[in-house]
Amino acid sequence: MRKTSIFATALLASVSLSHAALAQTELSMWYHGAGNEVESKLINQIVDDFNASQEDWEVVLESFPQGSYNDSIVAAALAGNLPDIIDVDGPIMPNWAWSGYMQPLPIDESAIADFLPGTKGYWDGKLYSIGLWDAAVALYARESTLEELGLRRPTLDEPWTGDEFMAALKAAKDSGNYKFALDLGMNDQGEWYPYAFAPFLWSYGGGIVDRETYQTAEGVLNGDAGLAFGEWWQSLFTEGYAPGTSEDPADQQRGFIEGDFAFQWNGNWRAVATLDEVDDVVFLPAPDFGEGNKIGGGSWQFGISATSEHADGAAQFIEFALQDEYLAAFSDAIGLIPSTPSAAKMTKNYAEGGPLEAFFALSEEQAVLRPVTPGYVVQSKVFTKTLADIANGADVADTLDAAVDEIDADIEKNSGYGH
Amino acid sequence: MAIVTQDNHGLRLAVRYLVLILVALVFMFPLVFMLVSSLKPTAQLLSDTSSLRAFLPVGDISLENYAAAFRRAPIGLFVFNSIFITLVTVCASLFLCSLAAFSFTYLNWKGNGIVLSVILATLIIPFETIAIPLLLWVSRLPWVGMEGIEFGWLNTYHVQIVPWIADALTVFLFVQFFKDLPRELIEAARAEGASWWQIYRRVVMPLSGPVLATAAILKSLKMYNEQYLWPLIVVQDEAHRPIMVGLGYFFQLNVAWGEVMAYLSVITIPVLAFYLVLQRAFIASIASTGVKG
């Protein structure tokens, strides 16, 4: 009798446990951080915390190398095996939403009211993605360089004008103390080009595409402002201020730190490593070429795939991940800008007086999203090639006209991309 | 006069060796750079690239990059996956392609020449042009596994093996070799009452050592070194990823080049071992096909 009772109790317990396990619906999630130990640890922590916090959902994470992540998503969309939760690079999101890879994000938008603008992914009036961080670009310089060359230290309220910027480059070049006055990271001919250099075009008053209609690049990329930008851009290389497209990647990583460059246009993800080696590094705002000083915004964000049958669970996970403690943890670990002011205060770098505090303000006040259109995936490649060609000496007007033709043809081929 | 000739001979020999040593150095430089760089911290590695120090194990030398590389990615798993996929594909390919070539060479069936021409014509089709249709196909194909019939081949080993088994180049190599075998051997075996299968197994294949080595080497190098796009789109789980996709683990925003070199050194070891074992066959295969290794 006693044996029967023990057996019955054990059976009941095992049934209850297996029932609890079965009650958790699996949510698949793909992330771009394979190989990034720090990022993987953080995202796994969030997943573990979420799985332990409730009994309805279990997130199962699969990480991919960043360089091939987008291709894996597109292939999975074609093959019909997208996961429930994906992460997406901000400027790519409109294309994936338009292509039917993603569905709108059903979260309470009041909860993200204080998020940095660059962290919210809207397409067609709906929120599709939200990010735990943003990134920003700044002009790296040394205090000692500014003093030595007799230069004013620019601020967000009073940035360098275009003329002041060029005067600074000329002073650095004339000093003879540097291999080049400015490093732009020209060897990285990927998304870096539109992310880092389109803001100069915007500051001139031009654009990659007409943001009123998103139907043409005519007049914005090759108008007067575009031409002025193109001539200025080319002059950086013809006058020897910056290394061109054949720049050695080693110079890009070590040049500023070793004092070969007076200034470097670089992202906040390099800031921590630079701070470790350059005591008096300062992060200066972008120069103003007439239409304000601007930088690019929008980094990796979370969203839900169109084929997910568990959008409520996926949204629950994403909302869970948006807690300040996770935003701050990501920022502390990988140096990115936390999405909210309250999270920024919890970080070691972006809190008041922190070494990277300037980047939060840069992102908040200067950041402009790259064109919010499905056609951006083509436009970014055309823009990259255009800037590389001009840097290599191509005729500015002809090259910009050719870029406009290519962008317009793509928009037409895709019936206006749904705008 | 004889002394002068001897001097000339010695000089010619010295010049020849000097040229050969220089050429060998040029070919060895990438390997030496990779191995030496894998022992240096990234900052030193980058600084050294502007001088001959790039090829010398000097400065802050350690195995830390190897330890870090193994922490960053499951290298053992990736190497195992690639070796397993390569071995199975090569074995299956040698068997099926040699059978096909045997049929094209010795069996006089109708349309034989046309079918072979069509197969050889596929040599000019780049894989990229058929990748997407093939993806759509394999994502729906049935497979009999441990749990019965399943639909969809994604995230498996066989999706990385089956599409690569048959290929025109391997069939072509076998056809060319079989054509040069003496016909009398086949005819004698037929006269003795041997079946086609017996002729294939007992007469033709035992004579096919050179072409088997050539085809195996070319196929192995392709499968081990060049499998990137296909596994990228058909394998989404880490458990089945091969080495070339694994390389992506090392390209973060701040690339740790020392670890990249350590990873490349580790994944090169099986190829080097393979080369050293089959060195003679390698050289013979390149000489016989005119294909660069």
Side-chain angles (χ1 to χ4, degrees), chain A residues 88-109:
Chain A
V88 53
D89 198 7
I92 304 293
M93 182 278 295
N95 185 275
W96 288 5
W98 174 76
S99 301
Y101 304 167
M102 297 178 71
Q103 57 178 293
L105 189 55
I107 65 170
D108 178 8
E109 291 190 37

Side-chain angles (χ1 to χ4, degrees), chain B residues 203-222:
Chain B
V203 179
V204 174
M205 292 319 285
L207 295 170
S208 302
V211 70
L212 282 169
T214 303
I217 288 164
L218 295 177
K219 191 83 179 181
S220 300
L221 290 178
K222 186 178 176 63

Side-chain angles (χ1 to χ4, degrees), chain A residues 59-218:
Chain A
V59 173
V60 178
L61 180 69
E62 191 67 64
S63 291
F64 294 72
Q66 180 171 339
S68 56
Y69 176 78
N70 288 355
D71 294 330
S72 296
I73 286 282
V74 173
L78 290 169
N81 71 330
L82 280 172
D84 295 294
I85 304 162
I86 56 176
D87 78 327
V88 53
D89 198 7
I92 304 293
M93 182 278 295
N95 185 275
W96 288 5
W98 174 76
S99 301
Y101 304 167
M102 297 178 71
Q103 57 178 293
L105 189 55
I107 65 170
D108 178 8
E109 291 190 37
S110 66
I112 56 166
D114 62 343
F115 273 53
L116 288 170
T119 63
K120 302 177 194 177
Y122 283 98
W123 160 245
D124 205 18
K126 299 185 191 92
L127 179 74
Y128 275 82
S129 54
I130 182 76
L132 273 61
W133 63 78
D134 203 353
V137 176
L139 190 67
Y140 288 32
R142 284 176 164 81
E143 284 272 13
S144 52
T145 303
L146 296 178
E147 282 172 24
E148 174 195 316
L149 301 177
L151 301 170
R152 171 179 78 83
R153 181 167 172 173
T155 62
L156 266 177
D157 294 331
E158 229 179 313
W160 279 339
T161 62
D163 288 341
E164 279 182 295
F165 179 54
M166 293 311 292
L169 296 187
K170 187 169 186 314
K173 184 184 171 190
D174 292 347
S175 75
N177 295 334
Y178 307 97
K179 272 191 197 168
F180 286 97
L182 172 67
D183 169 47
L184 292 160
M186 293 293 286
N187 63 297
D188 180 4
Q189 291 177 41
E191 184 57 24
W192 172 246
Y193 270 49
Y195 174 67
F197 308 141
F200 297 137
L201 170 64
W202 301 333
S203 186
Y204 266 95
I208 297 175
V209 64
D210 177 9
R211 293 199 190 218
E212 293 286 315
T213 64
Y214 283 110
Q215 297 303 302
T216 182
E218 185 68 46

Side-chain angles (χ1 to χ4, degrees), chain B residues 13 53 70 162 182 226 231 243 247 281:
Chain B
L13 205 63
R53 288 170 62 89
F70 274 93
V162 176
E226 297 175 20
I243 50 165
L247 184 57

